[in-house]
Amino acid sequence: MVTVSGGIAIPLLLSILVLHVAFPASSASDGLVRIGLRKKPLDENSRLATRFSEKEIKDLMSRRFGLRGDVESNGDEDIISLKNYMNAQYFGEIGIGTPPQKFTVIFDTGSSNLWVPSSKCYFSLACYFHPKYKSELSNTYQRNGKPADIQYGTGAISGFFSEDHVTIGDLIVKDQEFIEATREPGLTFLVAKFDGILGLGFKEISVGEAVPVWYNMVEQKLIREPVFSFWFNRNADDGEGGEIVFGGIDPNHYKGEHVYVPVTQKGYWQFNMGDLLIDGKSTGYCAGGCAAIADSGTSLIAGPTTAVAEINQQIGASGIASQECKAVVAQYGKQIIRLLMLQAKPIKVCSQVGLCAFNGAHGVSTGIENVVADENTEASAHLHSEAMCNSCEMAVVWMQNQLLRNQTEERVLNYVDELCERLPSPMGESSVDCAALDSMPIISFTIGAKKFNLKPEQYILKVGEGGQAQCISGFTALDVPPPRGPLWILGDVFMGVYHTVFDYGNLKVGFAPAA
């Protein structure tokens, strides 16, 4: 992951919408269970409340996706960690217990547990600003007591498991295992519009091996089909926020036909994605395919820094200048171009110029100390070396793509140097000129051999009104190394444009233009 010099704060709440329940969920005559949503404009205070330090973001994303760094991984279990849920703005109301105690929760396809604040949460300020589950008021409560600890960027959500009935619309899911949260650290939960999380991912990423609510809905035969779908209304002037439909698909929510792709790895709703295009031209980064997940719990679209930097350059987004990246261009650029023109394998180029060691799949840091500003410690040398290796690998992708377009050496070097000026800060926002939307390109994702286009007005988020309005890119950087990555997270920016179907019975994900 590219680091941010100076440890600047990074905002994670980057959406124009903060949504809460609009009306109770309903079960219609067609057998579908609908959860209605409503929205309100995002205010600046909510954005500021979600600012974290660079180290906190690195720890969070390392635990969640197994990134390179200091966080140890014991295998696949590192993917269970929660993201910053202030990135998720779609809420619905559920009930827990008999009679039901109401909670507003995020329906999140990127996690698999249900948790709400507990009446036994005594020492976290956030718990005093949200309703708390009181087991003594429910005559269907069953004690469990198994401890639960879900990692979070600023600490952990801690608590214990309990069992009770969960009401979703007219459905009652019996004996559902859930977490009573007794510790919710950080300002994020204090200002959150939600009370808890209802995970819709697979059991493989469930903390404590708890059976997810969705599994029990299917097992208890409460719905017509093992399918659920999301419709997110991104019209800022419309009071209706959208719907989550359990048991099938509402034909009023989409146009045309869905394009389905198989789930390639259970845990998240993960599938294979093809090339990324900018105004119809390949970026070259995913020409050989990339992994992607459809994640209702993330506002933006997160992708590899290499690709997001190219998008930033094309839309005029602000970024951070990387001195390591610029040093690679200045000192090794011509050598890299010559190797590419001699048909050298791109994955081996950085090892051939001495900036990386090839491990058989990709380049890794060699620990070299050339072009290192601070050579006082072995640690600082290693960090600079890793940055040089990462920068070289990005430069190779950019240069190769430009050479395929028959650009001259001078133009290639100038283009890559400009990209070095626009590297996005990790999991941070990039501002753009609100007046320049008409000149911005169409960004396209290839899924199931079909191009899914995003127009500027769809991937640029506007915060505020009039002369005080700010425009923010809907793309953010996230580097997940092989074998799990490269990985794209298609969040609400994408799912708001394309109605998304999660077919549990056939293990596939479908996309169609939203109506």
Side-chain angles (χ1 to χ4, degrees), residues 96 101 113-123 127 132-136 141-150 156-164 176-184 197 207-210:
I96 302 179
Q101 301 173 39
N113 289 86
L114 168 61
W115 65 264
V116 295
S118 172
S119 61
K120 298 175 178 61
C121 181
Y122 305 119
F123 303 109
C127 288
K132 296 180 285 293
Y133 172 76
K134 301 177 178 64
S135 59
E136 64 274 12
Y141 161 76
Q142 297 181 57
R143 186 180 182 279
N144 182 306
K146 181 173 61 177
D149 185 8
I150 302 180
I157 294 170
S158 302
F160 57 91
F161 282 97
S162 291
E163 294 179 22
D164 210 331
Q176 175 62 49
E177 196 172 10
F178 68 99
I179 298 171
E180 291 193 46
T182 57
R183 184 172 178 268
E184 298 180 16
I197 309 295
V207 172
E209 299 183 348

